[in-house]
């Protein structure tokens, strides 16, 4: 626990309470995506905020998570504690050192919050899609560790691997907050295409695509036009979405667009697509029968995936 933080962040005597099975599911997601907010934890588990808050308080009191106040009017942030790492290692048969512990003051910046929001939406939707039977999510810090933190590594913000009944596809997730020059992003997409062209796998998966989430429709048009006009970026590589258009119930089959340029070269045509396979069918019983694969289980990034240029 960080010194000087509010009393409500300090663990209390847990008494006879123990971590529940659903708590451990949320703890495993927190370990992958940390830091995460109260709302993101509740959303991932499909809990109301009061129920989710009680679960987080239980994890706190058991010494499994650390609590960080990010602002008076904002959700708290949560990270994995050493006790949580030991518990997950025991449950999943791994070494506690496999789990990352964040040291020092923690905040949730807008970029990381957006990355976790998109990944949480994909995870929630995948739990209900009959065509998806397993999913794996890996975030930037782990991806960079796999390429030995090389400064010139071309590393996505996150990677989602969806295992369908008819194959496996990896999705490189890029979050754009409207701050980067579109030409720089086009060059990045071109570099990603070159890696895919020479069959460099993404987290061990040969078939992979790029998902780009932007803040506004205007930004989408600007990036899509630049991408479509760049001959180095082939159609079908990149799918765009506006963050406000993505909802957990429809993220697999609505809100995604691919771009092409008309004959004049001045106007971009956007076509609604789904970069996901068989996404429209959903589990009618509402059950969560998806297997959430532990991060790192499907193979490391190929070494060459760290040589595509700076992020």
């Amino acid at each position: 626990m960080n010194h000087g933080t509010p009393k409500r962040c300090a663990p209390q005597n847990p008494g006879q309470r123990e971590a529940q099975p659903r708590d451990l599911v949320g703890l495993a997601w927190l370990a992958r995506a940390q830091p995460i907010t109260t709302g993101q934890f509740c959303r991932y588990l499909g809990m109301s905020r009061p129920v989710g808050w009680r679960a987080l308080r239980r994890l706190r009191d058991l010494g499994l998570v650390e609590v960080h106040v990010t602002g008076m009017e904002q959700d708290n942030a949560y990270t994995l504690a050493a006790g949580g790492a030991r518990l997950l290692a025991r449950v999943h048969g791994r070494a506690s050192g496999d789990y990352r512990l964040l040291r020092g003051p923690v905040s949730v910046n807008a970029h990381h919050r957006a990355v976790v929001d998109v990944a949480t939406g994909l995870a929630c939707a995948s739990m209900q899609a009959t065509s998806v039977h397993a999913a794996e999510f890996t975030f930037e810090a782990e991806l960079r560790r796999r390429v030995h933190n090389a400064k010139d590594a071309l590393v996505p913000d996150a990677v989602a691997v969806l295992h369908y009944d008819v194959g496996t596809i990896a999705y490189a997730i890029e979050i754009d907050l409207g701050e980067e020059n579109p030409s720089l992003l086009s060059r990045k997409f071109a570099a990603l295409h070159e890696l895919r062209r020479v069959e460099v796998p993404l987290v061990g998966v040969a078939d992979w695509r790029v998902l780009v989430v932007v803040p506004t429709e205007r930004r989408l048009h600007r990036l899509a036009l630049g991408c479509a006009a760049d001959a180095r970026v082939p159609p079908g590589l990149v799918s765009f979405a506006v963050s406000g258009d993505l909802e957990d119930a429809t993220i697999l089959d609505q809100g995604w667009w691919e771009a092409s340029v008309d004959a004049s070269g001045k106007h971009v045509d956007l076509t609604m697509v789904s970069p996901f396979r068989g996404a429209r069918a959903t589990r009618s019983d509402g059950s969560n029968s998806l297997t959430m694969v532990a991060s790192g289980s499907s193979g490391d990034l190929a070494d060459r995936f760290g040589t595509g240029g700076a992020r």
Side-chain angles (χ1 to χ4, degrees):
M1 187 64 216
N2 296 328
H3 295 293
T5 53
K7 182 178 179 180
R8 69 175 183 271
C9 295
Q12 307 297 313
N13 186 339
Q16 299 299 312
R17 288 180 296 171
E18 296 181 352
Q20 303 300 309
R22 198 157 180 78
D23 295 346
L24 298 183
V25 173
L27 185 66
W29 179 248
L30 183 152
R32 280 193 289 269
Q34 63 180 323
I36 68 172
T37 66
T38 307
Q40 290 167 338
F41 180 90
C42 297
R43 183 173 152 218
Y44 178 75
L45 292 177
M47 293 178 169
S48 67
R49 288 185 69 90
V51 174
W53 184 80
R54 287 195 294 272
L56 284 166
R57 184 174 60 179
R58 183 163 54 245
L59 294 175
R60 177 203 67 185
D61 292 346
L62 291 168
L64 305 180
V65 301
E66 299 276 3
V67 188
H68 310 268
V69 174
T70 60
M72 294 299 295
E73 303 298 327
Q74 298 179 1
D75 278 354
N76 289 338
Y78 296 84
T79 57
L80 189 67
R86 290 192 295 269
L87 177 59
L88 289 175
R90 187 166 66 250
V91 170
H92 296 291
R94 301 175 64 181
S96 59
D98 291 345
Y99 295 92
R100 184 171 58 106
L101 299 179
L102 300 185
R103 306 294 185 182
V106 169
S107 62
V108 183
N109 62 45
H111 186 266
H112 181 77
R113 185 189 299 267
V115 173
V116 177
D117 276 342
V118 172
T120 301
L122 288 174
C124 291
S126 297
M127 291 176 189
Q128 298 300 320
T130 56
S131 60
V132 181
H133 60 81
E136 174 187 359
F137 295 85
T138 311
F139 294 84
E140 182 179 8
E142 170 63 14
L143 295 171
R144 289 198 176 279
R145 185 192 67 79
R146 296 188 191 185
V147 294
H148 313 293
N149 293 307
K151 291 183 179 180
D152 62 345
L154 184 64
V155 175
D157 294 324
V159 174
V161 178
L162 301 190
H163 301 272
Y164 301 97
D165 296 334
V166 290
T168 297
I169 301 178
Y171 301 90
I173 300 171
E174 291 288 343
I175 301 298
D176 172 73
L177 297 181
E179 299 169 350
E180 288 190 77
N181 189 305
S183 64
L184 295 178
L185 289 171
S186 290
R187 286 203 292 271
K188 183 174 184 177
F189 300 149
L192 286 170
H193 166 61
E194 180 60 21
L195 291 174
R196 196 174 73 156
R197 188 186 67 80
V198 297
E199 300 182 346
V200 174
L202 177 61
V203 292
V205 180
D207 188 359
W208 53 274
R209 324 283 168 82
V210 181
L211 306 178
V212 180
V213 180
V214 300
T216 65
E217 186 173 343
R218 181 177 180 180
R219 180 68 173 176
L220 186 152
H221 279 265
R222 187 179 182 193
L223 290 189
L225 178 59
C227 188
D230 192 329
R232 300 170 300 172
V233 183
L237 173 67
V238 183
S239 298
F240 295 92
V242 177
S243 57
D245 293 343
L246 298 179
E247 299 181 0
D248 295 356
T250 58
I251 191 171
L252 292 181
D253 61 1
Q254 293 181 24
W256 297 98
W257 303 85
E258 288 182 2
S260 60
V261 176
D262 66 7
S264 71
K266 297 180 179 180
H267 301 286
V268 61
D269 293 324
L270 292 174
T271 303
M272 182 176 284
V273 298
S274 172
F276 308 97
R277 289 182 177 171
R280 294 183 182 278
T282 58
R283 305 187 198 282
S284 59
D285 60 359
S287 63
N288 178 356
S289 56
L290 181 75
T291 300
M292 295 302 295
V293 183
S295 182
S297 63
S298 66
D300 288 341
L301 286 164
D303 288 341
R304 289 185 61 192
F305 207 84
T307 60
R311 180 181 179 278

